[in-house]
Each structure stands twice: as structure tokens, then as C-alpha cells.
Amino acid sequence: MHVTTPVFEHHREPLGIGEAEPRLSWRTATDAEGWQQTAYEVRVCAEDGTELDASGRVESAESVLVPWPGPALRSRQRVAVRVRVWGTGGDEPSAWSEPAHAETGLLLPEDWTARPITSGRSQADGPQPAALLRREFTVRGPVAAARLYITACGVYEAELNGVRVGDHVLAPGWTSYAHRLRYQTYDVTDLLREGANAVGALLGEGWYAGRIGFNGGRRAIWGEHTSLLAQLEIRYADGTRETVATDPDWRAATGPLLRSEIYDGEVYDARLERDGWSRPGHDTTTGWSPVSETAPPAGELVAPTGPPVRRVQTLAPTEVITTPSGRTVLDFGQNLVGRLRITVSGPAGHTVTLRHAEVLEGGELGVRPLREAEATDVYTLRGEGTETYEPRFTFHGFRYAEVTGWPGPLDPADVRAVVLHTDMARTGWFSCSEPLVERLHENVVWSMRGNFLDIPTDCPQRDERLGWTGDIQVFAPTAAFLYDCSGMLAGWLRDLSAEQLAHPEQVPPLVVPDAIPPEFEPFPRAQAVWADVAVLLPWVLHHRFGDRGLLRDQYPSMRAWVETAARYAREGGGLWRDHHHLGDWLDPTAPPERPEVARTDGDLVAGAYLVRSAEVLAETARLLGEADDAVRYDELAKEARSAFQEEFVTPAGRLSSDAQTAYALALCFALLPTGRQRAGAGARLAAIVRDADFRIATGFAGTPLICDALCAAGEPELAYRMLLERGCPSWLYPVTMGATTIWERWDSMLPDGTINPGEMTSFNHYALGAVADWLHRTVAGLAPAAPGWRRLRIAPVPGSGLDHAKAAHLTPYGRAEAGWRRDGDRLVVEVLVPPNTRAEVQLPGDAEPFEVGSGRHTFRR
């Protein structure tokens, strides 16, 4: 029996955490079948090993997000935590776990003595060169520890004595700047030396001041001046302390980074590099000027709740293509999000241009889907031997890169694609006997990776890349299976709540952070499916990660949205009636220029979602002890369901919108009260699917539900038939067309190889990949039966076209697996249940489920 190193909250790297009473989680590894934890003990020690607190033996089976056992931590406090457990089968405890070290950041506003500084250049009228900011200081003796607390209105890279600090990309990330600004904490002890030192930062416009949004976007949405806030705290070996912080004594200059924009890319002139600019002794008499102190950030300074964006992988080109026009294009074999790293030599002043796109059209780079994003990096050589260049403050969505101006023959070994995304831990896997379905699942993974870049974006390539609420609402169950996105999405939800509760009608914005000005909104801000993220995303995260605290934090936001939606329904006589619903967005029959046009009535979609959100809110209220609210929202759900049935459902179960999405919503959201209606709706859905030749006919609202609805109707074979369909539109059609990510439209590329003429034609857009959740839960049969996977449900539904399928998930308690394979006339189901959990198993053909404990199990039918 072995206890893993404890985890603090959802932190992978608990340095500079923002929780004074961090909850603890651990896993127990044991080969004992059916093992259950019966008690635990937590020991908290100071940095020097002195015991600060101990819980004593606590009789409890809990091991996920266990309350902090001692007094609240202070700012900058470093502790070590060990855990041991007792379990079934013996009275002896386990050995103590390895210690987990955590250190709090600056928890109070008064902890900050730094003052924000700016170079004074305005970003409002156009992109400006990135600023170099620096200051020298003296370290007067041996250093015991040093921390750099740093953030920016903009994006930054810090250096200390000429060495890059940390490996974060596009720090501090993108938050709702008017409400919250994240800061980072770095351990820089080893970068300091006695005597002269220098600290510096490269400061770019990023999301804060750069051009953001479609239709040309806007610059400087949150402010026209970028600024840096940095506080270097040094603790000497003799116990004394010293702080070096941003203030008017810093100096500013420009350097080689002449332009750096999220959408348009970078312009870098290596001839303008200032050698040694972040090392002591650098000459600041030429080209350097005083900085200006600026106003403090508008938002609260907060520590991150999730991991940063990092370089996570590099890919080599798979092919060098000469296009019909004679251009050189590199194919990396995978649609990805990141940028290029080049190694090049040539004369001073020679320029290499790198242009990016997701697809080829007519053999040339297909840039039309980028709209007004240039996605181009330009590098001018210094001319002093071999040079390496990688952009700093931009990213692109691409598979293909056009290289122009390369000096001499291009060796593909000199170019690499650097993959970027939030550095989440992978937790979910799926495999099966059909290679196209496996590729579909891999496409879902790659789309999530590319669009989980600090916030959950819709797409990573064109002039958008925004945190659309509808996309993550429908994709959340899939996301929570594939990666540990709990900390990242918890932070994003805090921004959503802040934006929502500051709005006069307390409506969540369509995108978070809110970068859509009113004059750019073709539709009202309040939208079913999209705004329902305020309720349904916290619920999914609670169910998948067991975080009831998240529900408490988000409860005001959840409640506010349901109250607002209920008011819209009251004003409509019981239903939310609006001619401008986004509804079943991107129904495959929608014209390219009208993606909101769908076969399912938008009022029907809104009515269904009001029932769903009200029910979830009622259940949330019960969990949180809000008894009066639970009664209120149960009644609201009942009233909304009644209104839905009266308006949209016949006694025989036919729906006013005779479409796949309408029936999927009605069946999955329990909107049909009688057995006759449920049977009628199921039969009609099956008929519609057959009449469509098993082609998909759903958009955002229906796609996550259609396969579940068919299974609920007793038609799992039809769900399999839809899954395996290869004609357009279908999930496998893009795969047959060479897709390596999920497309925004079912036909983003037409069968003849031309790009869909619609303005919104992204080739990396995870929403329609929400089917992967059904692959995990139903095809393989692995799902949580209680919040946080405390109990598992193993219920595989084998179907025609597959000979085997398997899913695995790293739960908060350990690895779980479920899968099946055909062995002649028999079906073999294999299961792994992690320690300290139990599973209910429903085998194909069995009338009743049964329960098993932890361990490996094999069943044959």
C-alpha cells in the first residue's frame, strides 16, 4: 500500500498559490482487491521540518479535496505535507507519503510594494515595438531564497542576469482585466549572484492592448498602454530581506521585436538586438529612457488556479511541397497550434517570411479562412553565423507553413513546429478496432489541445480565438475526461462570473473575456446554450472532479442566469421567445452565410435548456444546503417542462420541429412525461436518422446528445451506424478528407477539395467533437456514477462495426479502465476499478447491474 504525494487544490506546481487553506488530494496504490480507505492522517511541517499541525487519525474515506487541517497560511509561507492512510484488511497504517511542498504567493493587496511601469508608447493607433525594461541592483551577500512575483497588462518574458526566468509562454495569460489579473511566482534563487545583478522584461501588447475580435476587431480594449508589475524579494542567509520592484528608477528601450500581434504575427529584426540588455553593466546611455509610473491594474491581482501555457512538443516537417506557383510549403502532417522555430544563416539584412495556414486549396496555402489575420512572421537576419528564431508573443493555427526568402537551399531539419497549449495533464484515452474512429478521437484531442491555450477558445487561427461560452458548454464532459482542465476552467469561470454579475441584466457574455463590443454583435448577448455555461460547466466540473467548492463559488452566477432566463420565459408567456436565437448553431443545412438557420426552432432549444439548467440548479442548491432555492428551482423546472410540452410536443410524442436535434433534446433532457410520448419520439428520431441515410443533421445543441438519444430510444445500432458513416455530413467524413483536427463545419472542406465558402470555416474547432464523450461513456462503457469518480458506472454498449473498444481515465482515485472485445460468439468485458472506489456494472444482456470493488475484473457473456 503506497500513498502518492499529496496535491494542493488543482495545482500541478504549487509555488505561489493563492489559497490560504488549500484542500488536499491523494491516491492510494494497492493490489488489494476491494480496498477502501477507512481513515487518514495529515501532517503539516514548516520549511525547516518543524511540525506545524497534524490532523491526528481522521475516520474518513475521503481522499479528494480534503479540507486543510490547520490554521490558514500566510503570504509567502512554505509548508510540506505528508499523508498516511488506514484501509480495509488491517489495522496498520501505510507508510507516510513523500512530502508535497507548497508555497503561498502574495495573498493580500498590501503585500505588493511594486508600482506598475510603462514605456509610455500608446498601442491604440497601431502596433508598437515590444518594450525592453530593466534595472540593476546589488546582492550584498549569500542568498537563502529569492522569488520573483510578476505580471503585466500585456504579455511578458522576464530575464535575470541574461537568463530567461521560467518557461511560461504568453504570460500572464488572458483574464478579464477589468476584474482579475493573474500574477506568476518564480523561484529565482539560483539566478542571483553576489554583487551586481540586473533584472529585465520584454513587454508586448498581447490580448490586453492588441487587436482582438472579428470584423476588424478593436485595439486597446482594456487599455492603450502596456505595463509591467514586478517584485523581486530576496531573503539573505543572515535572515534579512530586500525587495527590488518596478518603480520610476527602471529604464526602457525598444529592441528587435518591432511588431508582435496575436492575429498578425511578428516582425523581428535581429540587427537591432541589444546584447546583454538584461545583464549588469549594459550601457543604457544610448536609446534608453526613463519609464513612467502608471495606474495600478484595474482588476484584483490573483494567483493562477491552473497551469500556464508552455511549449509541449516539437514536430518536424513530413514533406516539403513546391506549390503550382513555385512557392515552398512545409507540411507538418498535423494541424496544430504554436509557431515555427527556425535555424538559419545568411547575410545581415536578409529577410525570411513565414506564412501559416491549416489547409491547402488548389495546391496553394489556403488563407481565406483566416479572414483578417495575417498569421505571418518576418525575421531579418543579423548576419553573424547560425541564428535561431522563434516568435515570442504570438501563435498560429496551422499544418502548412509557406517559407519565403530562405537563404540557399531549405533543409527541413532547420525548421520545427513548436506546439503550445495550457500544460494540462492528460487523463483520458480511447481505442477501438476501427482506425477511422481512432483518428476521429485523436482529432478531438488535438483540437482540445490547440484551443485550450490559457482560455477555452473556439478556434486558434483566424481573427477570433475567443472564449466562446457555447463551445465549452457542449464540450465540457469530453474535455474533463481527456485532460485535467479543472484548475484552468475554474479560473475561466471566475472571469465569467465577474463579467456576468457586472452586467445590468446579469447575462454572461457570449465570449469570456468579453471582447465583443455591442456594435459587433449580430445577435443578442443572452443566448440559450451559450449562457447556460454558467450553470452547466460548474456542474460538469463538480461531477467529474468532485469539487463542491467550485459549485459554492459559482452559485451566485448560476442562480443569476437561471433567474434571468426565467424572466425571459415569463415575459413570453412561459417560453423564451426570440427571433435571434443562435439555437442549433451550424446545422449542416444552414447556408454558408447564415449559420444560425436550423431545422430546430430556436425557441424549442431555449425552452429545453431552461428546464435543464433549472434542474441542475435545484440539485446544486440541495448539495449546498440551500433548501428554499432547491424547492424554487424544482418548481421552475416543472413549469418550464410543462410549457415546453404544451408548445412543442403532441400526445403521441411528435415535436413541432421534426428534426434530430429537437428529439435529442426532448429525450436527453427528460422533456417527455409519458411513456407513449417517449416511445413515439424515439421511433420518430430513428425514422429521421434512417431517412437521412445516417448522416448527421445536428449543430451545436444536438450533436453532443444525438447518440445518447438514440441509445435512450433503444436504437444503439443506429447510433453506431451514424458514428461509422463516411458520407458528408458525418463525423468520419472529415477524417476521410485527411482532417487531423475537428472542423467547425461538417463540410469545412467540400468533397472536391475546395474550402467551404462560408466566412466561418475553421479547421480546428472542438465543439462538434463532443461525440467523444459518448465514445468514452457508452461505446467503451466508462463513466462516473458519483461526483469525482467516487463510484464508477461500467456499462459498455457494443455495436456493429467494431470488434473491440476500450477507454481509460486517470480518476482522482487512480486509473480506471473499461473495455470489451469479441471472442468468437462471446463478449469479454475487462474492467479496472481504482482503490477506494466501487463500480456498478451493467453488462450487455443483463437485466440488472451489480457492484464490484477495486481491482481488475473480467466478465464473459
Side-chain angles (χ1 to χ4, degrees), residues 31 283 363 476:
D31 294 329
D283 180 9

Side-chain angles (χ1 to χ4, degrees), residues 474-628:
V474 300
F475 189 73
T478 299
F481 187 92
L482 294 175
Y483 282 89
D484 182 357
C485 53
S486 51
M488 172 190 168
L489 291 179
W492 184 80
L493 278 170
R494 292 179 187 179
D495 281 337
L496 180 142
S497 179
E499 299 262 21
Q500 172 195 357
L501 298 180
H503 187 264
E505 294 189 14
Q506 298 198 323
V507 175
L510 288 170
V511 302
V512 177
D514 189 1
I516 302 182
E519 64 269 23
F520 285 174
E521 289 191 8
F523 302 95
R525 175 182 175 120
Q527 291 289 340
V529 181
W530 279 255
D532 290 286
V533 73
V535 177
L536 301 181
L537 179 56
W539 183 251
V540 168
L541 296 181
H542 162 66
H543 195 240
R544 297 304 180 94
F545 298 103
D547 192 347
R548 188 177 297 189
L550 176 68
L551 291 181
R552 172 55 68 189
D553 291 343
Q554 295 301 129
Y555 189 68
S557 165
M558 299 168 76
R559 191 176 185 276
W561 166 241
V562 171
E563 290 287 349
T564 299
R567 176 168 56 82
Y568 293 154
R570 287 193 301 271
E571 293 169 354
L575 289 169
W576 179 3
R577 306 176 192 274
D578 196 316
H579 295 297
H580 298 285
H581 285 303
L582 295 176
D584 197 26
W585 182 257
L586 286 172
D587 178 309
T589 62
E593 70 282 0
R594 293 286 307 280
E596 79 281 6
V597 175
R599 284 166 285 197
T600 300
D601 181 5
D603 289 356
L604 185 153
V605 174
Y609 262 87
L610 176 56
V611 175
R612 176 63 178 155
S613 284
E615 287 188 328
V616 166
L617 183 58
E619 184 61 26
T620 301
R622 273 188 286 275
L623 284 173
L624 299 179
E626 304 286 350
D628 291 343

Side-chain angles (χ1 to χ4, degrees), residues 368-400:
R368 181 175 59 80
L370 299 179
R371 299 191 307 212
E372 296 185 45
E374 293 182 10
T376 301
D377 299 321
V378 180
Y379 179 71
T380 300
L381 279 69
R382 185 168 182 167
E384 297 179 2
T386 301
E387 306 173 38
T388 299
Y389 166 70
E390 178 188 329
R392 279 343 214 298
F393 297 141
T394 192
F395 63 92
H396 310 290
F398 68 100
R399 171 176 172 170
Y400 300 93

Side-chain angles (χ1 to χ4, degrees), residues 8-50:
F8 298 81
E9 292 289 334
H10 301 288
H11 297 293
R12 295 185 71 189
E13 300 165 339
L15 175 65
I17 65 174
E19 297 87 2
E21 297 179 287
R23 297 168 297 174
L24 302 170
S25 302
W26 58 87
R27 297 185 177 107
T28 301
T30 176
D31 294 329
E33 291 190 1
W35 186 88
Q36 294 279 310
Q37 177 184 299
T38 57
Y40 69 81
E41 183 176 7
V42 177
R43 181 172 294 171
V44 182
C45 294
E47 188 174 6
D48 62 4
T50 303

Side-chain angles (χ1 to χ4, degrees), residues 1 98 113 119 123-124 156 159 180 267 271 288 331 360-361 385 388 528 685 706 816 830 855:
M1 185 167 59
E98 289 296 315
T113 58
S119 66
Q123 307 283 333
Y156 74 85
E159 296 188 11
R180 302 184 336 118
V267 175
R271 297 171 298 177
W288 291 83
D331 177 6
L360 299 179
E361 186 175 31
T388 299
L685 175 60
I706 183 63
E830 297 175 318

